[in-house]
Amino acid sequence: MNTSQIALRLFYERKWVKWVKVSIDILSLQIALVFVWMVCSYFSDWFQLELSAQTYWDLSIALLLIPLTYWLMKLYPGYGLATVERFRRRVRATFIFFVGFISWDFLVNCSGRSMAIILLTFMFALILPPIFQYLGRRLLLYFDCWGMPVIILGAGKTGEQLVRNLISDKNLGLRPIAVLDDDESRWGESIVDVPIVGGFSKASEFNTTVTCAFLAIPGAGRCRIAELVRNLPFSSVVIIPDLSGIQSLWVEVRDLDGVVGLELKKKLLQRSNWYFKRFMDYFIGLPLFILSIPVYVLAALWIVIVSPGNPFYCQVREGVNGIKFKVWKLRTMYPQADKLLNEYLESNPAAKTEWNTYFKLKNDPRIIRGIGSILRKTSLDELPQLWNVLKGEMSLVGPRPFPHYHLERFDEDFRCLRRSVLPGMTGLWQVSARSDGDLQVQESLDTYYIRNWSIWLDVYLLGRTFAVVLSGKGAY
């Protein structure tokens, strides 16, 4: 048994996965059409929404073509795509298809179909397939069927970090099965259970089972890297440069007359994107603020009954450009909460360690029994911050505005980076780690968000926020 066969015990690619993904999209799109029929049937008495059998059949056949656009966008199986990029491609493919379908239907076919029905179909076709794909991917991950095997060339610092990143983010579907390095002293070792099987010369032993290799030796020099790329027997070779500390999304390769350039699109510096982000804050934030007023009233009454006093709480936080502003919340703690906290930490060393690590406590003595726990578990105590959003002091999505004592634990460079954007009601930290992330995790996730910001990332994080809030994960 050769090296590649031994390594493949870690993981091998299931070729049928892409057909499972195609089937999921076909099924979800047909279910989307069923939802359209249900909506039309329910509101037919109020609006002129009549979905005839012929229209249903025509739309059903047309929806079968959407997976073809997904295929052209390289979404089957979609290994190696970040979640936000996968979402962006899906939205663009669906939008392009419906623009083409509407143009053909009204200009060429002249069918006279209701635009409202087509737009309803577009809405459900935009929402349901990503949800079904997410559930399908979770199922494939559960049975260890999602991904393709890759090998890593280089066991140094860059190679080790790459292996750890790929192992921790299985959604990418890039599953390292072996590491190669010419340093003989490392042979036989492992990086997160991925074996270092030998030198670079062993790469040829994987050419029948692996199609993608990662070259993670940024210090090897231009000539050595060019030689390896030329000789590696893989259809895809990814070069990992030593560029830590810069953005990793929205990067494009430029051919500058034979010179390779990387163009980094700093989307936050594009004024049009800033205006669009503010438009999205008002478009979503204003209706949410109005709809949440009954929640404020009921919660405030409950708080006053259980713990007399002002049901609202405000605290000064640091915003964009270092401007101070008042963050509003529904009060979830008893009066003299600071005194209760200090007394509890002094008598409980384990809790003090937990507080110094996360600045949160799973068993917090300050929380009002009943309503306080409910509000924090569901994050409904944050709803008054919609007023901060409407005032322009915050955004729906962004780094959370931490208290002063929390910010002091970060270095000045990171605090300066945070001041470059509006703080948010939710963010990457909330949907990824929430209360389970320590200071290092918080800094890493906020830095990633700011450097890789885009409207697509914001929309994705808003969707993830609803899922996280419903699950209650990491909230206490």
Side-chain angles (χ1 to χ4, degrees):
M1 184 178 294
N2 62 27
T3 304
S4 66
Q5 290 173 322
I6 295 173
L8 279 174
R9 290 178 177 179
L10 286 176
F11 189 83
Y12 67 93
E13 184 177 3
R14 279 73 169 179
K15 300 294 185 180
W16 45 264
V17 166
K18 59 185 174 186
W19 299 111
V20 170
K21 288 176 64 66
V22 172
S23 302
I24 290 173
D25 276 333
I26 292 173
L27 175 64
S28 61
L29 288 165
Q30 296 304 313
I31 292 175
L33 192 54
V34 172
F35 273 59
V36 173
W37 173 79
M38 292 171 63
V39 171
C40 291
S41 299
Y42 185 80
F43 290 103
S44 59
D45 294 336
W46 290 276
F47 306 99
Q48 293 182 347
L49 291 174
E50 184 179 350
L51 183 59
S52 65
Q54 183 60 49
T55 300
Y56 187 99
W57 173 255
D58 291 345
L59 288 173
S60 178
I61 296 300
L63 290 178
L64 293 176
L65 298 176
I66 293 184
L68 179 60
T69 63
Y70 293 159
W71 192 290
L72 295 175
M73 289 284 187
K74 303 185 185 302
L75 289 169
Y76 301 131
Y79 298 142
L81 294 177
T83 305
V84 177
E85 175 62 16
R86 195 181 293 124
F87 171 72
R88 184 183 73 91
R89 293 191 185 191
R90 281 190 164 274
V91 173
R92 291 185 66 182
T94 306
F95 181 80
I96 290 170
F97 172 83
F98 272 91
V99 167
F101 177 77
I102 291 172
S103 301
W104 174 82
D105 197 50
F106 281 85
L107 300 178
V108 180
N109 197 36
C110 300
S111 67
R113 290 191 184 92
S114 168
M115 177 64 77
I117 290 175
I118 295 178
L119 291 178
L120 267 176
T121 307
F122 169 68
M123 182 184 72
F124 283 113
L126 206 59
I127 295 172
L128 291 186
I131 295 174
F132 276 71
Q133 285 290 343
Y134 170 77
L135 296 174
R137 190 162 57 252
R138 289 291 297 269
L139 196 62
L140 289 169
L141 281 168
Y142 179 79
F143 289 105
D144 202 30
C145 295
W146 170 256
M148 68 176 189
V150 299
I151 64 169
I152 313 296
L153 278 73
K157 183 179 179 181
T158 303
E160 283 196 26
Q161 187 60 52
L162 177 62
V163 171
R164 295 181 191 281
N165 289 355
L166 296 182
I167 292 293
S168 64
D169 188 2
K170 287 187 169 59
N171 281 313
L172 282 173
L174 301 174
R175 310 290 292 272
I177 61 170
V179 178
L180 305 179
D181 197 283
D182 282 343
D183 183 359
E184 296 184 13
S185 65
R186 301 292 306 275
W187 296 358
E189 296 180 7
S190 294
I191 304 174
V192 198
D193 296 328
V194 179
I196 303 174
V197 297
F200 297 151
S201 60
K202 281 186 173 288
S204 60
E205 297 183 16
F206 294 86
N207 64 342
T208 59
T209 52
V210 173
T211 59
C212 180
F214 286 82
L215 205 53
I217 46 173
R222 179 178 60 84
C223 294
R224 178 59 171 152
I225 291 175
E227 178 188 1
L228 285 169
V229 171
R230 185 170 58 251
N231 295 328
L232 287 173
F234 306 108
S235 59
S236 177
V237 177
V238 180
I239 299 175
I240 307 297
D242 185 12
L243 294 176
S244 59
I246 66 170
Q247 68 188 68
S248 53
L249 286 177
W250 327 123
V251 180
E252 293 185 7
V253 177
R254 289 283 182 259
D255 177 11
L256 307 174
D257 196 20
V259 176
V260 177
L262 297 178
E263 179 185 0
L264 282 66
K265 298 189 175 181
K266 303 174 74 171
K267 294 182 177 290
L268 270 176
L269 296 183
Q270 298 174 9
R271 202 63 181 171
S272 58
N273 284 335
W274 188 89
Y275 285 125
F276 192 86
K277 181 174 173 66
R278 290 305 297 154
F279 168 78
M280 190 167 71
D281 286 339
Y282 288 114
F283 183 76
I284 300 175
L286 183 57
L288 281 179
F289 179 77
I290 296 171
L291 291 172
S292 62
I293 290 176
V295 178
Y296 300 153
V297 175
L298 292 174
L301 288 173
W302 192 349
I303 292 169
V304 171
I305 292 171
V306 177
S307 175
N310 190 340
F312 293 96
Y313 168 79
C314 74
Q315 191 176 54
V316 176
R317 303 285 174 91
E318 186 177 78
V320 65
N321 298 324
I323 298 172
K324 308 296 182 183
F325 70 101
K326 291 182 179 180
V327 169
W328 290 93
K329 300 176 70 172
L330 284 164
R331 182 167 61 88
T332 59
M333 297 183 180
Y334 292 108
Q336 298 179 327
D338 291 339
K339 180 180 178 183
L340 291 173
L341 176 64
N342 291 331
E343 291 176 354
Y344 182 71
L345 295 181
E346 288 298 325
S347 61
N348 194 324
K352 190 170 186 177
T353 301
E354 181 184 357
W355 174 260
N356 289 333
T357 303
Y358 303 105
F359 286 101
K360 287 181 179 288
L361 295 173
K362 290 186 177 179
N363 299 306
D364 197 326
R366 302 172 296 170
I367 306 300
I368 300 172
R369 292 186 181 276
I371 181 62
S373 299
I374 292 172
L375 290 175
R376 293 175 74 89
K377 191 74 174 176
T378 57
S379 295
L380 291 176
D381 61 319
E382 311 282 358
L383 281 178
Q385 289 167 30
L386 287 168
W387 178 244
N388 293 114
V389 172
L390 297 178
K391 288 176 66 180
E393 297 168 334
M394 292 179 62
S395 178
L396 289 174
V397 185
R400 285 295 292 153
F402 291 134
H404 183 68
Y405 62 80
H406 195 152
L407 281 177
E408 286 182 332
R409 298 290 296 275
F410 296 114
D411 61 57
E412 184 57 31
D413 287 343
F414 176 59
R415 292 183 63 178
C416 184
L417 182 66
R418 284 174 57 90
R419 294 188 198 108
S420 66
V421 298
L422 285 170
M425 289 185 64
T426 185
L428 186 58
W429 171 55
Q430 278 68 31
V431 303
S432 301
R434 216 171 180 184
S435 298
D436 298 327
D438 59 17
L439 291 171
Q440 185 176 356
V441 172
Q442 292 166 16
E443 181 172 345
S444 174
L445 293 175
D446 281 349
T447 300
Y448 180 91
Y449 170 80
I450 296 170
R451 287 177 175 158
N452 294 283
W453 178 86
S454 74
I455 292 297
W456 299 104
L457 183 56
D458 273 7
V459 173
Y460 166 73
L461 291 177
L462 283 173
R464 280 285 305 276
T465 297
F466 288 109
V468 170
V469 168
L470 288 174
S471 68
K473 177 184 176 183
Y476 46 82

